[in-house]
Amino acid sequence: MNVMKRFAWFLLAVLAVGLVACGGGDDAKPINQTKLEELSKTWSLTSAKLDGNDRNDFVDVTLTISGTFNGANPLGPYNYDFKGTFPNPSPWPTDGEWTFSDENATSIIRSGDSQVVTYAVSGNQLTLTISGYSGPGFTGGSFSRTKAVTGTWI
């Protein structure tokens, strides 16, 4: 009988160690993959502001964000594509690539001009903010278009 109790306790201990060792594994997705999945869809523009002033010259604008997550290069690049009518000049190229700014996916960086864009997703609403627009040719000259859209865009 004493042998049976010891065997039962031994079996229970082995089972407990086995369950702890199988603690679910490390199946958590990288934050960049989760954020890419959250961002990847077509968004409709509902408003645009420059330095706090409403801009009504974006008409029927949609933004499609896409890409396939690559664990070897989680920052990207990924793609964006705008459709619709834009003001001239516009702070946005119609399409291009972007990367996450860091492993925490706190903001994105447009590949064409290295512009940092912060973002926030709340339900079905995406807010993009370009603070202090800058980029190649920001100083003016032959790139006065870039200078003409300077400011904080939301």
Side-chain angles (χ1 to χ4, degrees), residues 22-46:
C22 293
D26 188 17
D27 295 336
K29 291 181 186 177
I31 186 86
N32 295 52
Q33 183 177 3
T34 301
K35 293 295 186 175
L36 177 63
E37 289 171 0
E38 185 178 48
L39 291 169
S40 291
K41 65 165 104 176
T42 298
W43 304 87
S44 294
L45 181 75
T46 57

Side-chain angles (χ1 to χ4, degrees), residues 28-152:
K29 291 181 186 177
I31 186 86
N32 295 52
Q33 183 177 3
T34 301
K35 293 295 186 175
L36 177 63
E37 289 171 0
E38 185 178 48
L39 291 169
S40 291
K41 65 165 104 176
T42 298
W43 304 87
S44 294
L45 181 75
T46 57
S47 67
K49 293 183 181 213
L50 173 58
D51 292 331
N53 299 312
D54 288 331
R55 294 289 300 255
N56 298 316
D57 42 1
F58 291 86
V59 180
D60 297 325
V61 173
T62 60
L63 164 63
T64 301
I65 297 176
S66 62
T68 301
F69 181 75
N70 179 351
N73 192 12
L75 298 181
Y78 305 108
N79 305 301
Y80 69 88
D81 184 36
F82 278 99
K83 301 284 187 219
T85 303
F86 292 83
N88 187 6
S90 169
W92 283 99
T94 56
D95 59 23
E97 293 184 331
W98 61 274
T99 59
F100 284 112
S101 60
D102 55 36
E103 295 298 326
N104 295 318
T106 55
S107 58
I108 62 176
I109 301 172
R110 290 193 310 218
S111 297
D113 60 6
S114 300
Q115 179 64 53
V116 176
V117 180
T118 58
Y119 68 91
V121 177
S122 177
N124 288 327
Q125 183 175 347
L126 170 66
T127 302
L128 300 173
T129 303
I130 304 172
S131 296
Y133 180 80
S134 63
F138 181 70
T139 56
S142 61
F143 295 98
S144 59
R145 173 185 172 129
T146 305
K147 192 171 182 177
V149 294
T150 184
T152 299

Side-chain angles (χ1 to χ4, degrees), residues 1-13:
M1 187 80 162
N2 196 14
V3 172
M4 288 298 280
K5 277 186 175 180
R6 285 186 180 178
F7 180 73
W9 279 109
F10 175 76
L11 189 57
L12 185 61

